[in-house]
Amino acid sequence: MKLIILDRDGVINHDSEAFIKSPAEWIPIKGSLEAIARLNQAGYRVVVATNQSGVGRGLFDMMMLNAIHQKMHNAAQQVGADIDAVFFCPHAADDNCDCRKPKPGMFNEISRRFGISLRGGVITVGDSLRDLQAGFVAGCAPYLVLTGKGEKTLEKGGLPPGTLVYPDLAGVVDFILKAPVEVSV
């Protein structure tokens, strides 16, 4: 099974310092959903792993989070993309849970649910250090995108060994699928 694990905010959709609190605030990054469709066409199962501490902080409830994810699924389906599953941590940072990235709990759960080792080939794509750390500790190959918080993450440094950096999710997918590079003359 070919599996890829994506962060949500800053990778698939535009991020907000004030949190994405409603479906109206969930706006896809140009080309991200089409990139997921290309992954699907190449046989990849696409899973989202996202911290959603806004639930734990009382900024929005589970019903609203489900509505946001439904909008994401609907938008993906409109371009022929399929997101197999969304794993999320609803806890605030001070809850000290095992599922909140940078801890690898969500990734370990994905491994169990899909019956696949994350070591040796599973890619994780994120825009923050904690995304990459969680995936790396679980055995994933880390890919940083410069959308969302990505540029600031790159500037701060301290990325896991072997982290590859791309402008956006579409760039990651071009690399993964080894799409030919178009040269304008």
Side-chain angles (χ1 to χ4, degrees):
M1 174 192 327
K2 295 192 288 188
L3 180 72
I4 187 166
I5 302 170
L6 308 177
D7 179 47
R8 192 189 83 180
D9 301 335
V11 175
I12 299 172
N13 59 280
H14 292 280
D15 201 356
S16 168
E17 292 297 325
F19 297 90
I20 304 301
K21 301 177 294 302
S22 72
E25 295 175 358
W26 189 92
I27 301 166
I29 294 171
K30 184 178 181 189
S32 65
L33 298 176
E34 293 81 1
I36 292 171
R38 290 178 27 224
L39 287 167
N40 295 148
Q41 292 162 3
Y44 279 85
R45 297 189 74 179
V46 177
V47 174
V48 172
T50 179
N51 285 348
Q52 292 298 318
S53 67
V55 173
R57 296 170 190 232
L59 300 175
F60 52 91
D61 61 17
M62 287 301 301
M63 215 157 101
M64 187 60 69
L65 182 61
N66 288 337
I68 293 166
H69 288 155
Q70 188 59 54
K71 180 180 180 183
M72 179 177 68
H73 284 293
N74 292 344
Q77 289 169 354
Q78 287 176 1
V79 299
D82 185 42
I83 297 168
D84 287 272
V86 177
F87 288 74
F88 63 91
C89 170
H91 306 110
D94 58 357
D95 288 341
N96 199 27
C97 63
D98 290 328
C99 55
R100 183 174 170 77
K101 297 183 279 184
K103 292 183 181 176
M106 256 192 290
F107 287 81
N108 295 335
E109 183 61 23
I110 291 166
S111 175
R112 280 191 293 278
R113 293 257 192 103
F114 283 83
I116 184 174
S117 170
L118 301 183
R119 300 196 181 281
V122 174
I123 292 168
T124 188
V125 182
D127 68 319
S128 72
L129 183 58
R130 67 178 171 221
D131 297 331
L132 304 178
Q133 289 170 327
F136 181 77
V137 168
C140 295
Y143 284 58
L144 175 69
V145 290
L146 299 179
T147 49
K149 297 177 183 78
E151 287 187 20
K152 289 180 183 175
T153 300
L154 183 61
E155 286 173 18
K156 287 181 185 173
L159 301 176
T163 298
L164 298 178
V165 181
Y166 289 90
D168 55 20
L169 183 56
V172 170
V173 173
D174 286 345
F175 175 76
I176 293 170
L177 302 181
K178 308 231 182 313
V181 177
E182 292 181 25
V183 178
S184 56
V185 183

